[in-house]
Every structure is written in C-alpha cells, then in structure tokens.
Amino acid sequence: MTEHVSLRIEEHVAHVVLNRAEKYNAVNRGVIDGLLAAGEALTEDRNVRAVVLSGAGDNFCAGIDLAMFQSAEPVFGPEALKPQPGNIANYFQRAATIWREVPVPVIAALHGICYGAGLQIAFGADLRIAAPDCKLSVMEVKWGIVPDMGMTVTARGLLRPDQLKELALTGRVFDGQTALELGAVTRLDTAPLEAATALAAQIASRSPDATASIKALLNDGLTLPPAEALRLEAELQMALLGSANQGEAVAANLGRREPEFGPRKAG
C-alpha cells in the first residue's frame, strides 16, 4: 500500500484504512494509489472473505485534498481522466469503483465527516454503516466541478435520481439519519467501525463462494433485462451446487458444527 492507506488481514477480514488523520483523510494521489493497490491485492486474495473500509482518526474522509487543485503537475489532465488500461473507469473513478471489482463484500464505516470524494468512495462499497452524527455531502459543486468518481454507477439504486440531483446541485451537508432516510447508508450505529467489523466477521463465517456469488448476482442482476438476470441466477447457482464449500456448508449445518471453508473459488 502507501503511507496514506494501510491494509491488514485478520480472520479472513481485510481492514483498509485511509490513514491521513491529520488531514481529515483528504484524498490525494497517495490515497488513490493506496486504495487501488489495496483493491487489486484483495481481488487476487482468495482467502479474504470480507473487507472493512474506514478512516483513521475522527473522520472518514474530507474529500479531495485542495492541494491537488494547486499542484504544478497536471493532476486533472486528459490522461488521468481517460479510462485505465483494461478498465472502463479512469484513475480517479477507480478509487471508488474498485470496491465493486473486489469479489467479496465491502463494508464502509463512516464517522465524522464524509464529503465529496469520501462519499463517492463510500458509495463504491456494498454496505455503509454510519454514525448518526456523521456529516455527509456531495460537495463537488462548491468547487465548481461535477462528482466524477464513479457516482453515476455506484449510487444507482441507492437514492432516487431527483434526491441525488438535489444533493449534487446544492452540496448541502446532511447527517446520518437523513442519509439513512435517503438510502445513502445501509444503517446507523454509534460505533460504526465496530459494527462494520462485526458484520464482516458474520459474513466471513459463511461460504466465501456463496457470498462472492451473491455480490456478483446483485451487482449485475438488478440492472439486467429479466431474461438475462434469471439466466445469471441459474449460472451462479450451478457453479455453487456440488462445490467443496457448498458441501461443507451442508455438512456443517447437518452436523451442527462450525464450517471449515477453503479458499474462495468464485469471483
């Protein structure tokens, strides 16, 4: 990773932490590079079963580091805004969309402030647990730009289009309770990191092939035409039936014991 993003793995759960607490975990190149490196490593690690994404210190992420606007380098030049090789997303977008590429469930723990780029990164996770007093904002309009870190993909199905437009057009700050009512977060907890870690452990206790396949099914199937969605259900199910981890799930349930799953094959 980089000095601005840390990664550790415990009991099949990966913990990815934005690590610029003194800068409210504001996003710079080091953060983006670290997120991409972590996401790519976790995509390949078949022993990881869930991911918790969080911010060090008192905040999840304050958004883009304003120093990037003042950099002598062409940070936002045409090359950075082109899709990366072999991907539909560009360098900035992948900081958020890569969490959809990671085959296992990703849970974001939100506290303090979660603005702009930070909220877009959180939208890339499968689930979001926020503190009730967390402050969130689609803040890019404040700086005269559009939200351009994959939100048009990651926020699909979370908020109504008119609600998302209102947030993006005004840049207003809203709290965790409002975020829950809008659908921007999954649930609230006064200790979001602890809650996200507990949920990740629960997911990690299930067959890693089943959970990866459920993520793939719901990421893709809900946007497909009905015939293709039903076909995807059947294809994923056929790949699971009779597999080693599926057999272990059945045996453990029938034997009333804890399962001992092997590395993930799906995804």
Side-chain angles (χ1 to χ4, degrees):
M1 304 318 103
T2 68
E3 63 176 316
H4 295 155
V5 175
S6 67
L7 169 64
R8 74 179 193 281
I9 299 172
E10 300 173 351
E11 300 295 326
H12 301 289
V13 174
H15 297 265
V16 179
V17 184
L18 306 182
N19 202 23
R20 297 186 77 205
E22 75 286 356
K23 296 290 187 180
Y24 294 7
N25 299 317
V27 174
N28 63 3
R29 279 193 174 275
V31 170
I32 295 176
D33 290 344
L35 290 173
L36 297 184
E40 289 167 358
L42 294 173
T43 297
E44 299 299 322
D45 191 335
R46 293 190 173 273
N47 289 305
V48 169
R49 301 177 186 173
V51 178
V52 175
L53 181 60
S54 65
D58 296 330
N59 303 282
F60 178 72
C61 178
I64 204 77
D65 190 331
L66 297 184
M68 293 184 72
F69 288 113
Q70 303 164 328
S71 172
E73 300 179 48
V75 177
F76 300 104
E79 288 304 313
L81 298 181
K82 289 181 180 178
Q84 291 198 303
N87 205 281
I88 62 173
N90 66 35
Y91 173 72
F92 295 98
Q93 292 164 342
R94 282 200 77 212
T97 63
I98 196 166
W99 306 110
R100 292 171 62 88
E101 298 172 24
V102 172
V104 301
V106 178
I107 307 162
L110 311 180
H111 71 298
I113 59 177
C114 181
Y115 292 164
L119 181 54
Q120 292 190 76
I121 289 168
F123 278 151
D126 299 290
L127 306 168
R128 284 154 298 283
I129 300 178
D133 60 355
C134 182
K135 302 300 181 186
L136 307 93
S137 174
V138 183
M139 192 167 275
E140 283 76 9
V141 72
K142 179 178 179 180
W143 306 107
I145 58 176
V146 302
D148 69 337
M149 290 180 65
M151 190 178 73
T152 51
V153 172
T154 58
R156 290 183 187 183
L158 299 181
L159 295 81
R160 295 198 324 252
D162 63 320
Q163 294 171 326
L164 190 56
K165 286 178 184 177
E166 189 263 339
L167 295 177
L169 289 168
T170 63
R172 72 177 175 94
V173 176
F174 53 101
D175 63 13
Q177 181 60 45
T178 301
L180 181 64
E181 294 167 0
L182 290 171
V185 301
T186 310
R187 61 181 170 92
L188 303 180
D189 197 288
T190 55
L193 180 56
E194 289 83 351
T197 301
L199 179 56
Q202 183 180 7
I203 292 169
S205 72
R206 303 299 188 181
S207 164
D209 293 324
T211 55
S213 295
I214 289 168
K215 174 170 177 170
L217 174 64
L218 298 181
N219 272 359
D220 297 335
L222 297 180
T223 60
L224 291 173
E228 293 180 33
L230 295 175
R231 188 180 303 116
L232 179 61
E233 284 185 17
E235 289 173 354
L236 291 171
Q237 192 75 299
M238 286 299 295
L240 292 173
L241 290 171
S243 65
N245 281 332
Q246 194 264 330
E248 173 60 13
V250 173
N253 275 296
L254 293 177
R256 297 185 179 181
R257 60 172 175 80
E258 292 298 314
E260 296 181 9
F261 295 117
R264 172 177 52 81
K265 301 294 184 184

